[in-house]
mmCIF file of all heavy atoms in Angstrom:
data_model
loop_
_atom_site.group_PDB
_atom_site.id
_atom_site.type_symbol
_atom_site.label_atom_id
_atom_site.label_comp_id
_atom_site.label_asym_id
_atom_site.label_seq_id
_atom_site.Cartn_x
_atom_site.Cartn_y
_atom_site.Cartn_z
ATOM 1 N N GLU C 28 0.835 -1.211 0.000
ATOM 2 C CA GLU C 28 0.000 0.000 0.000
ATOM 3 C C GLU C 28 0.868 1.259 0.000
ATOM 4 O O GLU C 28 0.580 2.215 -0.724
ATOM 5 C CB GLU C 28 -0.954 0.000 1.197
ATOM 6 C CG GLU C 28 -2.091 -0.984 1.074
ATOM 7 C CD GLU C 28 -2.938 -0.769 -0.157
ATOM 8 O OE1 GLU C 28 -3.368 0.383 -0.404
ATOM 9 O OE2 GLU C 28 -3.172 -1.746 -0.887
ATOM 10 N N PHE C 29 1.918 1.261 0.782
ATOM 11 C CA PHE C 29 2.823 2.421 0.806
ATOM 12 C C PHE C 29 3.563 2.566 -0.519
ATOM 13 O O PHE C 29 3.748 3.684 -1.011
ATOM 14 C CB PHE C 29 3.808 2.319 1.975
ATOM 15 C CG PHE C 29 3.190 2.682 3.284
ATOM 16 C CD1 PHE C 29 2.758 1.701 4.166
ATOM 17 C CD2 PHE C 29 3.025 4.008 3.644
ATOM 18 C CE1 PHE C 29 2.175 2.033 5.371
ATOM 19 C CE2 PHE C 29 2.444 4.365 4.859
ATOM 20 C CZ PHE C 29 2.014 3.367 5.726
ATOM 21 N N VAL C 30 3.971 1.451 -1.113
ATOM 22 C CA VAL C 30 4.663 1.499 -2.410
ATOM 23 C C VAL C 30 3.719 2.031 -3.487
ATOM 24 O O VAL C 30 4.119 2.833 -4.332
ATOM 25 C CB VAL C 30 5.235 0.118 -2.791
ATOM 26 C CG1 VAL C 30 5.731 0.092 -4.227
ATOM 27 C CG2 VAL C 30 6.363 -0.273 -1.844
ATOM 28 N N GLN C 31 2.449 1.609 -3.459
ATOM 29 C CA GLN C 31 1.476 2.122 -4.427
ATOM 30 C C GLN C 31 1.368 3.638 -4.334
ATOM 31 O O GLN C 31 1.339 4.326 -5.359
ATOM 32 C CB GLN C 31 0.101 1.495 -4.182
ATOM 33 C CG GLN C 31 -0.026 0.074 -4.632
ATOM 34 C CD GLN C 31 -1.394 -0.510 -4.291
ATOM 35 O OE1 GLN C 31 -2.086 -0.035 -3.389
ATOM 36 N NE2 GLN C 31 -1.773 -1.551 -5.018
ATOM 37 N N ALA C 32 1.304 4.156 -3.138
ATOM 38 C CA ALA C 32 1.203 5.613 -2.957
ATOM 39 C C ALA C 32 2.478 6.299 -3.446
ATOM 40 O O ALA C 32 2.420 7.343 -4.099
ATOM 41 C CB ALA C 32 0.958 5.945 -1.487
ATOM 42 N N TRP C 33 3.611 5.726 -3.171
ATOM 43 C CA TRP C 33 4.901 6.304 -3.550
ATOM 44 C C TRP C 33 5.104 6.286 -5.067
ATOM 45 O O TRP C 33 5.623 7.235 -5.630
ATOM 46 C CB TRP C 33 6.015 5.533 -2.845
ATOM 47 C CG TRP C 33 7.384 5.939 -3.264
ATOM 48 C CD1 TRP C 33 8.055 7.070 -2.898
ATOM 49 C CD2 TRP C 33 8.234 5.222 -4.148
ATOM 50 N NE1 TRP C 33 9.284 7.085 -3.496
ATOM 51 C CE2 TRP C 33 9.426 5.958 -4.275
ATOM 52 C CE3 TRP C 33 8.132 4.014 -4.843
ATOM 53 C CZ2 TRP C 33 10.481 5.536 -5.062
ATOM 54 C CZ3 TRP C 33 9.181 3.592 -5.618
ATOM 55 C CH2 TRP C 33 10.337 4.357 -5.725
ATOM 56 N N MET C 34 4.674 5.208 -5.737
ATOM 57 C CA MET C 34 4.896 5.074 -7.179
ATOM 58 C C MET C 34 4.103 6.097 -7.985
ATOM 59 O O MET C 34 4.556 6.538 -9.032
ATOM 60 C CB MET C 34 4.531 3.657 -7.651
ATOM 61 C CG MET C 34 5.513 2.610 -7.220
ATOM 62 S SD MET C 34 4.980 0.920 -7.628
ATOM 63 C CE MET C 34 4.687 1.010 -9.365
ATOM 64 N N GLY C 35 2.902 6.407 -7.553
ATOM 65 C CA GLY C 35 2.084 7.373 -8.266
ATOM 66 C C GLY C 35 1.695 6.943 -9.667
ATOM 67 O O GLY C 35 1.648 7.763 -10.577
ATOM 68 N N LEU C 36 1.394 5.665 -9.849
ATOM 69 C CA LEU C 36 1.027 5.154 -11.177
ATOM 70 C C LEU C 36 -0.468 4.830 -11.272
ATOM 71 O O LEU C 36 -0.872 3.922 -11.977
ATOM 72 C CB LEU C 36 1.842 3.897 -11.507
ATOM 73 C CG LEU C 36 3.344 4.100 -11.676
ATOM 74 C CD1 LEU C 36 4.045 2.767 -11.894
ATOM 75 C CD2 LEU C 36 3.616 5.026 -12.861
ATOM 76 N N GLY C 37 -1.259 5.580 -10.542
ATOM 77 C CA GLY C 37 -2.698 5.349 -10.616
ATOM 78 C C GLY C 37 -3.205 4.372 -9.569
ATOM 79 O O GLY C 37 -4.401 4.160 -9.453
ATOM 80 N N ARG C 38 -2.313 3.768 -8.820
ATOM 81 C CA ARG C 38 -2.711 2.875 -7.732
ATOM 82 C C ARG C 38 -2.586 3.678 -6.446
ATOM 83 O O ARG C 38 -1.606 4.364 -6.234
ATOM 84 C CB ARG C 38 -1.797 1.644 -7.667
ATOM 85 C CG ARG C 38 -1.644 0.862 -8.959
ATOM 86 C CD ARG C 38 -2.943 0.286 -9.497
ATOM 87 N NE ARG C 38 -3.538 -0.720 -8.675
ATOM 88 C CZ ARG C 38 -3.399 -2.026 -8.845
ATOM 89 N NH1 ARG C 38 -2.645 -2.489 -9.815
ATOM 90 N NH2 ARG C 38 -3.998 -2.870 -8.051
ATOM 91 N N GLY C 39 -3.565 3.590 -5.583
ATOM 92 C CA GLY C 39 -3.549 4.439 -4.404
ATOM 93 C C GLY C 39 -3.504 3.681 -3.098
ATOM 94 O O GLY C 39 -3.834 2.498 -3.021
ATOM 95 N N PHE C 40 -3.109 4.389 -2.067
ATOM 96 C CA PHE C 40 -3.082 3.892 -0.698
ATOM 97 C C PHE C 40 -4.507 3.864 -0.163
ATOM 98 O O PHE C 40 -5.227 4.850 -0.264
ATOM 99 C CB PHE C 40 -2.209 4.833 0.148
ATOM 100 C CG PHE C 40 -2.098 4.424 1.582
ATOM 101 C CD1 PHE C 40 -1.018 3.678 2.011
ATOM 102 C CD2 PHE C 40 -3.060 4.788 2.503
ATOM 103 C CE1 PHE C 40 -0.898 3.307 3.346
ATOM 104 C CE2 PHE C 40 -2.961 4.425 3.837
ATOM 105 C CZ PHE C 40 -1.870 3.679 4.258
ATOM 106 N N GLU C 41 -4.922 2.732 0.414
ATOM 107 C CA GLU C 41 -6.257 2.627 1.006
ATOM 108 C C GLU C 41 -6.172 1.881 2.322
ATOM 109 O O GLU C 41 -5.649 0.767 2.377
ATOM 110 C CB GLU C 41 -7.216 1.867 0.079
ATOM 111 C CG GLU C 41 -7.625 2.606 -1.163
ATOM 112 C CD GLU C 41 -8.692 1.844 -1.946
ATOM 113 O OE1 GLU C 41 -9.609 1.285 -1.312
ATOM 114 O OE2 GLU C 41 -8.587 1.815 -3.175
ATOM 115 N N TYR C 42 -6.695 2.498 3.381
ATOM 116 C CA TYR C 42 -6.734 1.818 4.676
ATOM 117 C C TYR C 42 -7.599 0.565 4.606
ATOM 118 O O TYR C 42 -7.312 -0.436 5.270
ATOM 119 C CB TYR C 42 -7.243 2.756 5.768
ATOM 120 C CG TYR C 42 -6.228 3.799 6.157
ATOM 121 C CD1 TYR C 42 -6.404 5.121 5.799
ATOM 122 C CD2 TYR C 42 -5.088 3.452 6.873
ATOM 123 C CE1 TYR C 42 -5.470 6.091 6.145
ATOM 124 C CE2 TYR C 42 -4.142 4.410 7.222
ATOM 125 C CZ TYR C 42 -4.341 5.720 6.860
ATOM 126 O OH TYR C 42 -3.411 6.666 7.199
ATOM 127 N N GLY C 43 -8.650 0.609 3.804
ATOM 128 C CA GLY C 43 -9.509 -0.568 3.641
ATOM 129 C C GLY C 43 -8.751 -1.753 3.073
ATOM 130 O O GLY C 43 -9.020 -2.907 3.452
ATOM 131 N N ASP C 44 -7.806 -1.504 2.178
ATOM 132 C CA ASP C 44 -6.984 -2.588 1.637
ATOM 133 C C ASP C 44 -6.081 -3.177 2.715
ATOM 134 O O ASP C 44 -5.872 -4.394 2.770
ATOM 135 C CB ASP C 44 -6.131 -2.099 0.460
ATOM 136 C CG ASP C 44 -6.949 -1.848 -0.795
ATOM 137 O OD1 ASP C 44 -8.137 -2.242 -0.843
ATOM 138 O OD2 ASP C 44 -6.395 -1.245 -1.733
ATOM 139 N N ILE C 45 -5.555 -2.318 3.583
ATOM 140 C CA ILE C 45 -4.707 -2.803 4.678
ATOM 141 C C ILE C 45 -5.516 -3.711 5.605
ATOM 142 O O ILE C 45 -5.046 -4.775 6.021
ATOM 143 C CB ILE C 45 -4.079 -1.628 5.453
ATOM 144 C CG1 ILE C 45 -3.014 -0.955 4.585
ATOM 145 C CG2 ILE C 45 -3.491 -2.094 6.779
ATOM 146 C CD1 ILE C 45 -2.405 0.292 5.189
ATOM 147 N N VAL C 46 -6.730 -3.301 5.909
ATOM 148 C CA VAL C 46 -7.594 -4.121 6.764
ATOM 149 C C VAL C 46 -7.888 -5.461 6.078
ATOM 150 O O VAL C 46 -7.806 -6.523 6.699
ATOM 151 C CB VAL C 46 -8.902 -3.374 7.109
ATOM 152 C CG1 VAL C 46 -9.902 -4.290 7.792
ATOM 153 C CG2 VAL C 46 -8.602 -2.154 7.973
ATOM 154 N N ALA C 47 -8.204 -5.413 4.791
ATOM 155 C CA ALA C 47 -8.495 -6.643 4.053
ATOM 156 C C ALA C 47 -7.262 -7.548 3.963
ATOM 157 O O ALA C 47 -7.371 -8.769 4.146
ATOM 158 C CB ALA C 47 -9.004 -6.304 2.649
ATOM 159 N N ASP C 48 -6.097 -6.974 3.691
ATOM 160 C CA ASP C 48 -4.859 -7.751 3.612
ATOM 161 C C ASP C 48 -4.581 -8.461 4.936
ATOM 162 O O ASP C 48 -4.285 -9.658 4.972
ATOM 163 C CB ASP C 48 -3.659 -6.852 3.292
ATOM 164 C CG ASP C 48 -3.770 -6.129 1.959
ATOM 165 O OD1 ASP C 48 -4.604 -6.519 1.124
ATOM 166 O OD2 ASP C 48 -3.009 -5.165 1.766
ATOM 167 N N THR C 49 -4.679 -7.702 6.020
ATOM 168 C CA THR C 49 -4.370 -8.244 7.347
ATOM 169 C C THR C 49 -5.387 -9.288 7.780
ATOM 170 O O THR C 49 -5.024 -10.361 8.278
ATOM 171 C CB THR C 49 -4.308 -7.084 8.377
ATOM 172 O OG1 THR C 49 -3.337 -6.138 7.921
ATOM 173 C CG2 THR C 49 -3.935 -7.583 9.749
ATOM 174 N N THR C 50 -6.652 -8.993 7.550
ATOM 175 C CA THR C 50 -7.706 -9.945 7.913
ATOM 176 C C THR C 50 -7.536 -11.251 7.145
ATOM 177 O O THR C 50 -7.597 -12.336 7.733
ATOM 178 C CB THR C 50 -9.098 -9.337 7.625
ATOM 179 O OG1 THR C 50 -9.218 -8.117 8.361
ATOM 180 C CG2 THR C 50 -10.210 -10.291 8.008
ATOM 181 N N GLY C 51 -7.318 -11.153 5.841
ATOM 182 C CA GLY C 51 -7.135 -12.352 5.032
ATOM 183 C C GLY C 51 -5.905 -13.143 5.438
ATOM 184 O O GLY C 51 -5.946 -14.373 5.546
ATOM 185 N N ALA C 52 -4.803 -12.445 5.697
ATOM 186 C CA ALA C 52 -3.553 -13.124 6.073
ATOM 187 C C ALA C 52 -3.750 -13.951 7.343
ATOM 188 O O ALA C 52 -3.386 -15.131 7.385
ATOM 189 C CB ALA C 52 -2.439 -12.097 6.260
ATOM 190 N N PHE C 53 -4.322 -13.348 8.376
ATOM 191 C CA PHE C 53 -4.479 -14.063 9.644
ATOM 192 C C PHE C 53 -5.599 -15.095 9.592
ATOM 193 O O PHE C 53 -5.457 -16.197 10.138
ATOM 194 C CB PHE C 53 -4.686 -13.086 10.802
ATOM 195 C CG PHE C 53 -3.410 -12.430 11.218
ATOM 196 C CD1 PHE C 53 -3.157 -11.115 10.887
ATOM 197 C CD2 PHE C 53 -2.446 -13.131 11.922
ATOM 198 C CE1 PHE C 53 -1.972 -10.502 11.251
ATOM 199 C CE2 PHE C 53 -1.247 -12.538 12.295
ATOM 200 C CZ PHE C 53 -1.007 -11.224 11.966
ATOM 201 N N PHE C 54 -6.696 -14.785 8.918
ATOM 202 C CA PHE C 54 -7.796 -15.748 8.827
ATOM 203 C C PHE C 54 -7.340 -17.031 8.142
ATOM 204 O O PHE C 54 -7.557 -18.140 8.653
ATOM 205 C CB PHE C 54 -8.990 -15.141 8.064
ATOM 206 C CG PHE C 54 -10.081 -16.143 7.816
ATOM 207 C CD1 PHE C 54 -10.977 -16.474 8.820
ATOM 208 C CD2 PHE C 54 -10.210 -16.779 6.583
ATOM 209 C CE1 PHE C 54 -11.981 -17.419 8.607
ATOM 210 C CE2 PHE C 54 -11.202 -17.717 6.363
ATOM 211 C CZ PHE C 54 -12.091 -18.035 7.376
ATOM 212 N N PHE C 55 -6.688 -16.896 6.983
ATOM 213 C CA PHE C 55 -6.278 -18.087 6.248
ATOM 214 C C PHE C 55 -5.112 -18.815 6.913
ATOM 215 O O PHE C 55 -5.004 -20.035 6.823
ATOM 216 C CB PHE C 55 -5.979 -17.746 4.786
ATOM 217 C CG PHE C 55 -7.231 -17.545 3.990
ATOM 218 C CD1 PHE C 55 -7.704 -16.280 3.715
ATOM 219 C CD2 PHE C 55 -7.968 -18.628 3.549
ATOM 220 C CE1 PHE C 55 -8.873 -16.085 3.005
ATOM 221 C CE2 PHE C 55 -9.144 -18.455 2.837
ATOM 222 C CZ PHE C 55 -9.600 -17.181 2.562
ATOM 223 N N ALA C 56 -4.239 -18.087 7.616
ATOM 224 C CA ALA C 56 -3.164 -18.747 8.358
ATOM 225 C C ALA C 56 -3.761 -19.626 9.461
ATOM 226 O O ALA C 56 -3.361 -20.786 9.625
ATOM 227 C CB ALA C 56 -2.214 -17.711 8.953
ATOM 228 N N PHE C 57 -4.738 -19.099 10.198
ATOM 229 C CA PHE C 57 -5.353 -19.890 11.257
ATOM 230 C C PHE C 57 -6.239 -21.003 10.697
ATOM 231 O O PHE C 57 -6.335 -22.074 11.300
ATOM 232 C CB PHE C 57 -6.094 -18.990 12.247
ATOM 233 C CG PHE C 57 -5.157 -18.233 13.128
ATOM 234 C CD1 PHE C 57 -4.962 -16.879 12.955
ATOM 235 C CD2 PHE C 57 -4.416 -18.878 14.110
ATOM 236 C CE1 PHE C 57 -4.066 -16.178 13.745
ATOM 237 C CE2 PHE C 57 -3.515 -18.196 14.910
ATOM 238 C CZ PHE C 57 -3.336 -16.844 14.732
ATOM 239 N N LEU C 58 -6.839 -20.786 9.559
ATOM 240 C CA LEU C 58 -7.581 -21.869 8.893
ATOM 241 C C LEU C 58 -6.617 -23.002 8.525
ATOM 242 O O LEU C 58 -6.934 -24.179 8.699
ATOM 243 C CB LEU C 58 -8.296 -21.330 7.652
ATOM 244 C CG LEU C 58 -9.220 -22.295 6.928
ATOM 245 C CD1 LEU C 58 -10.374 -22.722 7.837
ATOM 246 C CD2 LEU C 58 -9.758 -21.650 5.659
ATOM 247 N N PHE C 59 -5.440 -22.654 8.027
ATOM 248 C CA PHE C 59 -4.400 -23.646 7.742
ATOM 249 C C PHE C 59 -4.090 -24.452 8.999
ATOM 250 O O PHE C 59 -3.998 -25.678 8.963
ATOM 251 C CB PHE C 59 -3.139 -22.944 7.229
ATOM 252 C CG PHE C 59 -1.991 -23.860 6.931
ATOM 253 C CD1 PHE C 59 -1.764 -24.306 5.637
ATOM 254 C CD2 PHE C 59 -1.121 -24.274 7.934
ATOM 255 C CE1 PHE C 59 -0.700 -25.142 5.356
ATOM 256 C CE2 PHE C 59 -0.060 -25.113 7.664
ATOM 257 C CZ PHE C 59 0.148 -25.550 6.375
ATOM 258 N N PHE C 60 -3.918 -23.765 10.120
ATOM 259 C CA PHE C 60 -3.606 -24.414 11.390
ATOM 260 C C PHE C 60 -4.672 -25.445 11.758
ATOM 261 O O PHE C 60 -4.353 -26.563 12.161
ATOM 262 C CB PHE C 60 -3.465 -23.359 12.486
ATOM 263 C CG PHE C 60 -3.173 -23.926 13.843
ATOM 264 C CD1 PHE C 60 -1.944 -24.480 14.131
ATOM 265 C CD2 PHE C 60 -4.135 -23.891 14.838
ATOM 266 C CE1 PHE C 60 -1.659 -24.987 15.376
ATOM 267 C CE2 PHE C 60 -3.870 -24.398 16.092
ATOM 268 C CZ PHE C 60 -2.628 -24.949 16.369
ATOM 269 N N ILE C 61 -5.916 -25.067 11.594
ATOM 270 C CA ILE C 61 -7.026 -25.965 11.950
ATOM 271 C C ILE C 61 -7.104 -27.165 11.012
ATOM 272 O O ILE C 61 -7.349 -28.283 11.440
ATOM 273 C CB ILE C 61 -8.366 -25.187 11.935
ATOM 274 C CG1 ILE C 61 -8.361 -24.163 13.071
ATOM 275 C CG2 ILE C 61 -9.560 -26.116 12.029
ATOM 276 C CD1 ILE C 61 -9.467 -23.120 12.969
ATOM 277 N N LEU C 62 -6.876 -26.937 9.715
ATOM 278 C CA LEU C 62 -7.071 -27.987 8.711
ATOM 279 C C LEU C 62 -5.832 -28.834 8.433
ATOM 280 O O LEU C 62 -5.942 -29.857 7.763
ATOM 281 C CB LEU C 62 -7.557 -27.362 7.402
ATOM 282 C CG LEU C 62 -8.903 -26.663 7.461
ATOM 283 C CD1 LEU C 62 -9.230 -26.025 6.117
ATOM 284 C CD2 LEU C 62 -9.998 -27.635 7.886
ATOM 285 N N GLN C 63 -4.663 -28.454 8.927
ATOM 286 C CA GLN C 63 -3.444 -29.152 8.545
ATOM 287 C C GLN C 63 -3.442 -30.634 8.924
ATOM 288 O O GLN C 63 -2.776 -31.435 8.274
ATOM 289 C CB GLN C 63 -2.205 -28.446 9.093
ATOM 290 C CG GLN C 63 -2.030 -28.531 10.584
ATOM 291 C CD GLN C 63 -0.784 -27.823 11.056
ATOM 292 O OE1 GLN C 63 0.206 -27.730 10.343
ATOM 293 N NE2 GLN C 63 -0.834 -27.316 12.271
ATOM 294 N N LYS C 64 -4.207 -31.031 9.918
ATOM 295 C CA LYS C 64 -4.261 -32.435 10.317
ATOM 296 C C LYS C 64 -4.774 -33.338 9.183
ATOM 297 O O LYS C 64 -4.456 -34.507 9.118
ATOM 298 C CB LYS C 64 -5.150 -32.612 11.544
ATOM 299 C CG LYS C 64 -4.600 -31.945 12.766
ATOM 300 C CD LYS C 64 -5.577 -32.022 13.904
ATOM 301 C CE LYS C 64 -5.098 -31.158 15.048
ATOM 302 N NZ LYS C 64 -6.123 -30.928 16.034
ATOM 303 N N SER C 65 -5.569 -32.755 8.288
ATOM 304 C CA SER C 65 -6.175 -33.564 7.226
ATOM 305 C C SER C 65 -5.185 -33.998 6.152
ATOM 306 O O SER C 65 -5.466 -34.932 5.422
ATOM 307 C CB SER C 65 -7.352 -32.818 6.593
ATOM 308 O OG SER C 65 -6.902 -31.648 5.949
ATOM 309 N N TRP C 66 -4.018 -33.354 6.034
ATOM 310 C CA TRP C 66 -3.062 -33.780 5.017
ATOM 311 C C TRP C 66 -1.712 -34.225 5.577
ATOM 312 O O TRP C 66 -0.839 -34.655 4.839
ATOM 313 C CB TRP C 66 -2.833 -32.681 3.969
ATOM 314 C CG TRP C 66 -2.250 -31.415 4.491
ATOM 315 C CD1 TRP C 66 -0.941 -31.177 4.800
ATOM 316 C CD2 TRP C 66 -2.956 -30.225 4.775
ATOM 317 N NE1 TRP C 66 -0.795 -29.916 5.264
ATOM 318 C CE2 TRP C 66 -2.023 -29.291 5.261
ATOM 319 C CE3 TRP C 66 -4.281 -29.841 4.679
ATOM 320 C CZ2 TRP C 66 -2.370 -28.011 5.640
ATOM 321 C CZ3 TRP C 66 -4.618 -28.572 5.058
ATOM 322 C CH2 TRP C 66 -3.686 -27.680 5.525
ATOM 323 N N LEU C 67 -1.546 -34.111 6.893
ATOM 324 C CA LEU C 67 -0.280 -34.539 7.475
ATOM 325 C C LEU C 67 -0.232 -36.054 7.592
ATOM 326 O O LEU C 67 -1.268 -36.707 7.733
ATOM 327 C CB LEU C 67 -0.086 -33.905 8.854
ATOM 328 C CG LEU C 67 0.120 -32.390 8.852
ATOM 329 C CD1 LEU C 67 0.166 -31.873 10.289
ATOM 330 C CD2 LEU C 67 1.367 -32.018 8.112
ATOM 331 N N PRO C 68 0.971 -36.623 7.565
ATOM 332 C CA PRO C 68 1.080 -38.081 7.748
ATOM 333 C C PRO C 68 0.559 -38.472 9.139
ATOM 334 O O PRO C 68 0.600 -37.673 10.071
ATOM 335 C CB PRO C 68 2.578 -38.361 7.626
ATOM 336 C CG PRO C 68 3.257 -37.076 7.358
ATOM 337 C CD PRO C 68 2.243 -35.983 7.389
ATOM 338 N N ASP C 69 0.084 -39.713 9.250
ATOM 339 C CA ASP C 69 -0.435 -40.183 10.538
ATOM 340 C C ASP C 69 0.664 -40.197 11.598
ATOM 341 O O ASP C 69 0.424 -39.856 12.736
ATOM 342 C CB ASP C 69 -1.032 -41.580 10.386
ATOM 343 C CG ASP C 69 -2.289 -41.559 9.531
ATOM 344 O OD1 ASP C 69 -2.958 -40.511 9.494
ATOM 345 O OD2 ASP C 69 -2.587 -42.577 8.890
ATOM 346 N N LYS C 70 1.844 -40.607 11.208
ATOM 347 C CA LYS C 70 2.983 -40.643 12.122
ATOM 348 C C LYS C 70 4.001 -39.635 11.641
ATOM 349 O O LYS C 70 4.250 -39.535 10.446
ATOM 350 C CB LYS C 70 3.612 -42.029 12.145
ATOM 351 C CG LYS C 70 2.677 -43.098 12.670
ATOM 352 C CD LYS C 70 3.341 -44.451 12.622
ATOM 353 C CE LYS C 70 2.348 -45.512 13.039
ATOM 354 N NZ LYS C 70 2.884 -46.839 12.934
ATOM 355 N N PRO C 71 4.605 -38.869 12.561
ATOM 356 C CA PRO C 71 5.632 -37.919 12.130
ATOM 357 C C PRO C 71 6.751 -38.604 11.376
ATOM 358 O O PRO C 71 7.209 -39.672 11.762
ATOM 359 C CB PRO C 71 6.149 -37.319 13.440
ATOM 360 C CG PRO C 71 5.094 -37.608 14.455
ATOM 361 C CD PRO C 71 4.393 -38.846 13.994
#
């Protein structure tokens, strides 16, 4: 977001994008944590 504002190529800084980026990053990381048992080997 900061690079978009700095570049000035028609892409802009948006706080809403930061919220969406952060929410998606943590939501899907924790979803991975919950679901990882389904593809891990039975024995380490």
